[in-house]
Amino acid sequence: MFKTLKRNYVATDFSATNWDEINLLTTVANNCAAELALDNQVLRSSFLSSEVNGACIVDQHIAIARASYPELDQPKFRLFPLESSVAWGDDEIAVDYILAVILPNGHDATALDRITAAVQQQFTEKTVTVSETRKLEKMMSKLIKTLA
């Protein structure tokens, strides 16, 4: 029997109508809302307002899109491999992935620092291309276990 991998953390076939930062954040919010059964408008507003406060880029190619959500009791994650690199933030660093991190309202102030450090460690240990979905899913699963 073939073993299939359930894709809990990696969005496959991710595409956007326009490959700019604002449109990608909106598309990320829409996807997260649909996959995690959360309110789309709340996520969209939170992702956009967090990005206005400054881009968070890890390992020079992963943009961390941050949002908070009132009814969550633990963080939620989705990784979006991009078809091609996109200029991100004020410095327009070319990113290959967007990692959506949705934190509970009132989260610990160090939560994002811990997540950023874990992402940095996980993605610098192994080089994985955006097309290697199975490997990305395993990396994200390991990352989630590290943060639990």
Side-chain angles (χ1 to χ4, degrees), residues 67-86:
S68 58
Y69 197 84
E71 286 88 28
L72 289 182
D73 56 352
Q74 59 185 336
K76 301 288 183 188
F77 302 90
R78 296 279 292 157
L79 182 68
F80 298 89
L82 303 177
E83 293 173 357
S84 58
S85 297
V86 173

Side-chain angles (χ1 to χ4, degrees), residues 66-117:
R66 296 119 24 230
S68 58
Y69 197 84
E71 286 88 28
L72 289 182
D73 56 352
Q74 59 185 336
K76 301 288 183 188
F77 302 90
R78 296 279 292 157
L79 182 68
F80 298 89
L82 303 177
E83 293 173 357
S84 58
S85 297
V86 173
W88 201 267
D90 292 337
D91 296 333
E92 296 190 350
I93 295 172
V95 298
D96 300 309
Y97 303 95
I98 301 171
L99 175 61
V101 177
I102 307 165
L103 299 166
N105 276 1
H107 59 275
D108 176 5
T110 63
L112 192 57
D113 292 337
R114 285 193 324 272
I115 291 166
T116 302

Side-chain angles (χ1 to χ4, degrees), residues 23 49 128 135 138:
N23 190 56
S49 68
V128 179
K135 287 182 181 178
K138 287 180 182 178

Side-chain angles (χ1 to χ4, degrees), residues 31-50:
N31 183 284
C32 288
E35 287 295 319
L36 303 171
L38 301 175
D39 184 89
N40 188 11
Q41 185 58 44
V42 171
L43 284 181
R44 188 178 316 144
S45 297
S46 189
F47 277 125
L48 291 171
S49 68
S50 291

Side-chain angles (χ1 to χ4, degrees), residues 6 8 20 24 38 54 56 58 64-65 70 73-74 78 84 97-98 105 112-113 120 125 127 133 138-139 144-145:
K6 184 176 180 185
N8 293 318
D20 63 68
L24 282 170
L38 301 175
C56 180
V58 177
I64 299 183
D73 56 352
Q74 59 185 336
R78 296 279 292 157
S84 58
Y97 303 95
I98 301 171
N105 276 1
L112 192 57
D113 292 337
Q120 174 91 28
E125 285 179 1
T127 303
T133 308
K138 287 180 182 178
M139 287 175 72
I144 303 309
K145 288 178 186 173

